[in-house]
Amino acid sequence: MAYSCAVHGASWIAVVAFLVASGSVIRVAEARYGPGHWSPAPAPATVAALVSEQLYNSLFLHKDDAACPAKGFYTYASFIQAARTFPKFAATGDLSTRKREVAAFFAQISHETTGGWATAPDGQYAWGLCYKEEISPASNYCDATDKQWPCYPGKSYHGRGPIQLSWNFNYGPAGQALGFDGLRNPEVVANCSETAFRTALWFWMTPRRPKPSCHEVMVGEYRPTAADAAANRTAGFGLVTNIVNGGLECNRTDDARVNNRIGFYQRYCQIFNVDAGANLDCAHQQPY
């Protein structure tokens, strides 16, 4: 199945041409987000070295099954190409740190797109990247109070892509950072697999103060503030979950969604032969 990136492709080429000519980078607008960077640097060797195509397909064993609506969408080539946008991803720290970051990223996107269930073939944690778009969204995810990233009439900002990017205040800055109009054309995140992965990596790499970035947490760059310490926001995979969806999943015990994220993470850490680390859940963390 082919997924068109034609509209995005034209703007992407223009962005690359501008950057090459000027030597500049695009900065994420600092609304609810901290500064972020786009860079056309070559894909860091560590990404492809850590995750071969064979390994990628084994991690997401059922992503191309007929039962998965995202069949054919989340290709290895798209993932590797998207990684060029963020050369520090999976390239910071020692080998164990890099493996652990990839495992954590894959775990979060697997939970967000899972098609698994308790008795699924090969286990429930073999069904990541099964969906590319939220099914029957409860709303159009428009925060009309956000004047910096105003909703475009008739558009829905429901979950799309590996991280299930949601809300106008996410689509707007993601598009600005990555070279597409996220407010007028949010559909591109579910139509272009490279863009889909780029939005997930943008979310992963970009701090949104007072939230740190998921990347900062997983590579040891997170420095808790006094407020973080008071809220028990300790470094580890659980804090990443807090960043992603803490308002709904954290500060509660034995949450099924948190447990599902942990299950994916532990599976991937085992495959990468790396310790999962401490603080896997966010049961006793206050959300941001």
Side-chain angles (χ1 to χ4, degrees), residues 27-37 86 141 143 146 148-149 157 163-178 183 199-214 216 243-244:
R27 298 185 65 87
V28 176
E30 297 183 31
R32 304 189 185 195
Y33 299 83
H37 297 277
F86 299 95
Y141 291 88
D143 180 358
D146 193 312
Q148 180 156 7
W149 307 107
Y157 305 101
I163 203 68
Q164 290 291 281
L165 193 73
S166 304
W167 296 99
N168 50 307
F169 52 75
N170 281 335
Y171 276 91
Q176 181 170 312
L178 299 173
L183 296 177
T199 61
L201 286 163
W202 169 83
F203 184 92
W204 185 265
M205 300 295 296
T206 305
R208 294 160 295 279
R209 307 303 182 196
K211 292 183 181 181
S213 70
C214 301
E216 288 173 338
I243 294 168
V244 174

Side-chain angles (χ1 to χ4, degrees), residues 46-70:
T46 51
V47 176
L50 288 175
V51 186
S52 67
E53 185 167 9
Q54 181 179 6
L55 176 59
Y56 177 85
N57 290 331
S58 70
L59 294 175
F60 306 110
L61 191 59
H62 293 280
K63 69 182 178 64
D64 295 325
D65 282 16
C68 286

Side-chain angles (χ1 to χ4, degrees), residues 107-171:
Q108 292 293 341
I109 66 173
S110 292
H111 169 78
E112 295 293 337
T113 59
T114 185
W117 63 100
T119 58
D122 300 304
Q124 63 180 316
Y125 303 124
W127 288 78
L129 298 184
C130 190
Y131 288 87
K132 63 189 181 79
E133 193 161 4
E134 185 176 353
I135 303 299
S136 302
S139 72
N140 64 357
Y141 291 88
C142 169
D143 180 358
T145 68
D146 193 312
K147 303 305 181 183
Q148 180 156 7
W149 307 107
C151 303
Y152 194 74
K155 295 298 181 179
S156 176
Y157 305 101
H158 59 266
R160 296 181 178 93
I163 203 68
Q164 290 291 281
L165 193 73
S166 304
W167 296 99
N168 50 307
F169 52 75
N170 281 335
Y171 276 91

Side-chain angles (χ1 to χ4, degrees), residues 275-288:
D275 182 78
N279 304 317
L280 299 187
D281 66 53
C282 57
H284 304 293
Q285 294 183 19
Q286 293 290 332
Y288 286 93

